[in-house]
């Protein structure tokens, strides 16, 4: 395959990696496997533009993207739009999509898996046309990310500590809001503290990762209005891998869902694949089954 690797030097593990030596290793591993590969290292501000340039190269068959979940989400969108394969080097904090694809989380070990792997077709989802590979969420999660972003951190450990502090703040001050949702032509309205729509349903794990991203559906989760004690119980159940067993959570699978937020709010926010974004009052979500090509190893098929 003709491939281009684009790495975010500001992303997690890469900050403390000799990127010249790493790119030499990338070229060696992929060349041994019979691929032609170019390696580019850019800043976080340049990563999306560079991946777009790479995807438009003549005869390009795939891009290898390295960075955190935000970088990987952007790379998936670009790969989907150009109909080329995506390989993931997980260099971030959580590496959620890499986990769903059952890739090694070590930035060196994953190279052998990708170079000697196969192309698989998996699902990708969208919210008002914005593509995502993991999750759209509003309420508890978006408030936590907003709180975390207001805290200073400069490392992976610092980000984890900031996330813990933000989670505690959300437990003490959970949001409650109204939503209308339409599934299979039926519209309902209720108050909630959280909404989550995932690219395939979450598995039984504390990181809320889909075990199978080829199921052709969305996971749709609504959480009843919660007091601080209820948020604490929800967090405990998530840590135990028992989100769907929590009494406040309604979980189902759908292929599409429409959300409407009746009350206009100036601070309406959502999180899409870890990025905090302004949210429209009407959001249409759908799954694009089997439309994303990804490089995976044998563990994916096990």
């Amino acid at each position: 395959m003709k491939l281009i690797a684009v790495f975010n030097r500001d992303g997690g593990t890469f900050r403390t990696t000799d990127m010249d030596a790493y790119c030499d290793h990338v070229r060696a591993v992929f060349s041994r496997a019979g691929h032609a590969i170019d390696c580019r290292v850019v800043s976080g501000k340049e990563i999306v533009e560079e991946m777009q340039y790479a995807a438009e190269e003549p005869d390009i068959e795939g891009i290898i993207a390295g960075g955190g979940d935000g970088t990987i989400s952007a790379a998936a969108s670009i790969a989907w739009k150009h109909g080329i394969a995506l390989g993931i080097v997980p260099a971030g904090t959580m590496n959620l999509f890499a986990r769903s694809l059952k890739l090694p989380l070590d930035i060196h070990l994953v190279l052998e898996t990708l170079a000697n792997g196969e192309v698989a077709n998996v699902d990708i989802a969208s919210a008002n046309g914005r593509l995502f590979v993991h999750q759209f969420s509003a309420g508890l999660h978006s408030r936590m990310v907003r709180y975390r972003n207001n805290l200073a951190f400069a490392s992976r450990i610092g980000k984890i500590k900031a996330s813990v502090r933000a989670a505690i703040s959300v437990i003490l001050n959970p949001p409650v809001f109204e939503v209308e949702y339409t599934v299979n032509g039926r519209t309902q309205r209720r108050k909630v503290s959280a909404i989550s729509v995932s690219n395939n349903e979450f598995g039984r794990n504390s990181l809320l990762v889909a075990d199978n991203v080829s199921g052709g559906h969305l996971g749709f989760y609504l959480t009843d209005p919660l007091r601080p004690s209820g948020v604490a119980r929800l967090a405990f159940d998530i840590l135990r891998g028992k989100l769907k067993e929590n009494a406040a959570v309604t979980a189902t699978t759908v292929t599409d869902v429409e959300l409407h937020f009746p009350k206009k709010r100036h601070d309406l926010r959502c999180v899409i694949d870890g990025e905090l974004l302004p949210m429209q009052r009407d959001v249409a979500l759908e799954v694009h089954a089997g439309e994303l090509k990804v490089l995976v190893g044998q563990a994916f098929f096990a």
Side-chain angles (χ1 to χ4, degrees), residues 28-254:
V29 169
F30 279 84
S31 294
R32 282 199 303 269
H35 303 288
I37 190 165
D38 183 22
C39 190
R40 304 172 184 178
V41 180
V42 297
S43 69
K45 293 180 179 180
E46 302 170 305
I47 189 74
V48 173
E49 185 177 29
E50 191 62 41
M51 290 190 298
Q52 289 173 336
Y53 288 148
E56 293 167 1
E57 290 270 343
D59 303 320
I60 191 72
E61 296 174 88
I63 55 174
I64 308 297
D69 288 325
T71 295
I72 301 309
S73 181
S77 176
I78 291 167
W80 177 82
K81 290 174 182 176
H82 288 82
I84 60 176
L86 170 66
I88 296 172
V89 175
T93 303
M94 305 302 289
N95 304 309
L96 298 170
F97 195 47
R99 294 176 190 270
S100 288
L101 297 180
K102 299 177 176 60
L103 293 171
L105 300 182
D106 181 275
I107 63 171
H108 293 88
L109 292 178
V110 75
L111 298 177
E112 292 286 351
T113 298
L114 297 175
N116 297 286
E118 300 178 40
V119 176
N121 293 316
V122 301
D123 305 338
I124 190 169
S126 63
N128 285 355
R130 184 186 177 103
L131 295 159
F132 64 94
V133 291
H134 179 238
Q135 176 185 216
F136 163 95
S137 61
L140 290 170
H141 187 206
S142 59
R143 179 167 290 188
M144 189 197 77
V145 173
R146 179 161 59 89
Y147 286 168
R148 186 194 67 196
N149 288 353
N150 289 330
L151 300 172
F153 56 87
S155 66
R156 181 176 182 272
I157 298 300
K159 184 176 182 179
I160 293 172
K161 289 180 178 178
S163 295
V164 171
R165 289 177 59 190
I168 293 171
S169 297
V170 171
I171 288 174
L172 297 175
N173 183 31
V176 175
F177 56 98
E178 283 189 313
V179 62
E180 291 180 0
Y181 57 97
T182 302
V183 176
N184 296 327
R186 183 185 177 192
T187 300
Q188 299 183 65
R189 180 168 176 164
R190 60 187 280 189
K191 286 187 176 181
V192 298
S193 278
I195 297 169
S196 178
V197 182
S198 58
N199 178 24
N200 288 273
E201 64 184 321
F202 295 135
R204 297 179 66 86
N205 55 73
S206 60
L207 293 178
L208 300 181
V209 172
D211 292 334
N212 175 17
V213 285
S214 303
H217 60 254
L218 304 170
F220 181 39
Y221 304 87
L222 296 171
T223 303
D224 293 339
L226 296 175
R227 296 179 180 273
S229 59
V231 182
R233 283 193 295 271
L234 176 62
F236 180 63
D237 283 341
I238 290 173
L239 290 173
R240 296 191 301 152
K242 294 187 176 183
L243 168 69
K244 288 183 279 191
E245 282 88 339
N246 185 278
V249 174
T250 302
T252 187
T253 58
V254 299

